[in-house]
Amino acid sequence: MKFSFRWYGSSDPIPLEYIRQIPNMTGIVSAIYSVPVGELWPEKDIETLKQEIEANGMRFEVVESVPVHEDIKLGKLTRTKYIENYKENIRRLAKAGVTTICYNFMPVFDWTRTDLNFINKDGSSSLTLDLKKIDSLDPLSGDFSLPGWDESYSKDELSALFTAYQSVTPDELWDNLGYFLNEIIPVAEEVGINMAIHPDDPPYSIFGLPRIITDDAAFQRLFKLNDSPANGVTFCTGSLGARNDNDIYTMLDDYLKQGRVHFMHTRNILLHEDNSFEETAHMSKYGSVDMVKVLAILKRHNYNGYLRPDHGRMIWGENGRPGYGLYDRALGASYLNGIWEALHY
Ligand code: DNO
């Protein structure tokens, strides 16, 4: 299994020189952030990123994310151009040595929380999602945004997107995903890239927008849409674990059996009865995810793909990018490494 760490490029306050000091950190997960969604990623930018990472003794093999343009998700006629660009980005990344691309198919918004600075009893802070609060949030108000969201939309564009999605049923969103996959997966296969869809976070519809990558039935449907192993998943324990009816251990075991897991996001959450949750330290005892069980399943399948510690809390006075500070993610990585090593006996 290959341990990796997400890094936001030169705008990330955490230098690669620090990341390389985390024991057993062999890979960097990153992306080209300067290009608008749907456009081509310049080869020279990909090459510069790769060189920067390799100069620090780590590998650049996983991209998170190549975002999918909304016209593709909406099934608009204009999707052709964006799908062709997506294919070309896959080819360019493969040429640079990338083997795995993480992406998602969530309409408009990526991961969503109601509080980015929930203060825990020990003084650390976490990201949380309180379902009682979510309905009172208005993403169209213009004064509410999250670090995982595409901030480039104007208020009018956002409102037009909401209107466009009003008429898109979940089945239509599935058709649009199927169309996209059947276009891009042959290219990914040809150049040796594994596509790894990220589950919706949280794994249910929010703000009235459809969300489909949420549970086991969804993954089985996804695998049937295109049966290539290159049509795989990013198994995110925190996202999938945010539903009381998801048995993440059985799901993981099954998707590994089917050869579809290419990337692991391992983070812990404390899940409440109504599916609200707090993000916690990675260690099993703090949350609802049994990390030893997760890694034992990976071990049983001789998983040799990528894994990254996912969101961390803010600890030791760090004031970083929400979810993506250095300290707690580094602690998470060491904890996961310890479990992995112990599983060899
Ligand atoms: C959250 C991340 C997601 C993920 C995208 C993949 O922290 O795991 O934003 O990168 O959903 O496209």
Side-chain angles (χ1 to χ4, degrees):
M1 186 160 73
K2 299 180 266 281
F3 278 75
S4 57
F5 206 78
R6 192 172 193 186
W7 183 64
Y8 283 91
S10 43
S11 72
D12 196 315
I14 306 167
L16 288 172
E17 287 80 359
Y18 285 10
I19 299 175
R20 72 180 189 211
Q21 293 171 353
I22 303 169
N24 199 31
M25 198 46 73
T26 54
I28 286 292
V29 173
S30 194
I32 301 297
Y33 291 101
S34 52
V35 176
V37 176
E39 300 304 324
L40 289 174
W41 288 11
E43 283 182 280
K44 67 169 180 10
D45 292 7
I46 300 171
E47 197 48 40
T48 305
L49 180 61
K50 175 187 165 77
Q51 277 168 17
E52 227 179 326
I53 293 166
E54 289 181 350
N56 281 280
M58 293 175 288
R59 287 194 289 270
F60 176 48
E61 293 172 349
V62 184
V63 164
E64 179 177 350
S65 312
V66 180
V68 179
H69 195 277
E70 296 300 327
D71 287 9
I72 299 177
K73 296 180 221 166
L74 285 164
K76 284 190 170 176
L77 285 177
T78 39
R79 69 182 161 187
T80 311
K81 168 188 162 195
Y82 296 116
I83 291 179
E84 289 312 312
N85 284 353
Y86 207 99
K87 289 180 190 168
E88 179 57 18
N89 282 336
I90 293 176
R91 291 189 198 99
R92 291 183 182 187
L93 289 167
K95 215 161 114 193
V98 168
T99 66
T100 306
I101 295 176
C102 172
Y103 70 104
N104 73 73
F105 215 73
M106 288 176 246
V108 196
F109 301 114
D110 196 329
W111 61 271
T112 300
R113 301 289 180 269
T114 51
D115 196 342
L116 297 181
N117 196 26
F118 176 82
I119 307 296
N120 299 303
K121 279 198 199 89
D122 62 4
S124 62
S125 73
S126 292
L127 312 180
T128 64
L129 185 131
D130 182 347
L131 279 181
K132 288 187 292 301
K133 278 195 199 159
I134 201 152
D135 290 336
S136 62
L137 298 178
D138 177 9
L140 294 178
S141 66
D143 54 11
F144 170 58
S145 74
L146 286 172
W149 293 0
D150 182 346
E151 308 246 286
S152 64
Y153 297 123
S154 67
K155 226 171 146 179
D156 289 349
E157 283 168 329
L158 260 190
S159 147
L161 277 173
F162 265 77
T163 309
Y165 275 107
Q166 290 313 307
S167 56
V168 178
T169 63
D171 276 338
E172 281 163 354
L173 193 56
W174 274 108
D175 288 346
N176 299 340
L177 174 59
Y179 183 91
F180 172 65
L181 287 173
N182 290 329
E183 287 283 320
I184 63 153
I185 292 295
V187 176
E189 276 183 327
E190 191 186 305
V191 297
I193 288 243
N194 284 322
M195 296 300 301
I197 198 166
H198 190 284
D200 300 346
D201 181 356
Y204 36 81
S205 162
I206 50 165
F207 308 135
L209 296 167
R211 285 193 160 198
I212 54 174
I213 307 298
T214 53
D215 59 6
D216 183 52
F219 283 101
Q220 305 298 352
R221 184 167 176 177
L222 171 87
F223 300 153
K224 284 203 193 93
L225 278 183
N226 185 299
D227 64 7
S228 164
N231 171 29
V233 307
T234 297
F235 197 96
C236 177
T237 58
S239 305
L240 292 171
R243 265 177 88 127
N244 281 299
D245 57 352
N246 273 347
D247 174 354
I248 60 167
Y249 314 104
T250 306
M251 290 164 80
L252 177 61
D253 186 57
D254 183 33
Y255 310 159
L256 285 162
K257 224 177 273 161
Q258 298 193 49
R260 302 294 186 121
V261 182
H262 304 311
F263 189 21
M264 290 295 301
H265 282 185
T266 35
R267 81 183 147 78
N268 211 340
I269 55 164
L270 182 64
L271 185 63
H272 302 291
E273 229 165 89
D274 70 344
N275 287 334
S276 294
F277 62 86
E278 288 124 47
E279 298 192 359
T280 66
H282 282 72
M283 203 171 173
S284 304
K285 75 178 214 183
Y286 294 106
S288 309
V289 177
D290 184 336
M291 281 304 168
V292 176
K293 196 164 171 179
V294 168
L295 268 70
I297 294 168
L298 294 173
K299 181 78 189 73
R300 214 166 43 238
H301 286 274
N302 290 318
Y303 177 70
N304 195 30
Y306 303 90
L307 169 144
R308 70 168 179 81
D310 204 357
H311 301 173
R313 302 159 302 150
M314 285 299 151
I315 61 172
W316 303 339
E318 187 175 17
N319 192 4
R321 194 183 178 102
Y324 287 96
L326 172 65
Y327 304 140
D328 201 37
R329 283 192 299 152
L331 288 180
S334 280
Y335 167 68
L336 295 163
N337 266 302
I339 298 174
W340 194 241
E341 189 174 324
L343 285 170
H344 285 72
Y345 290 94

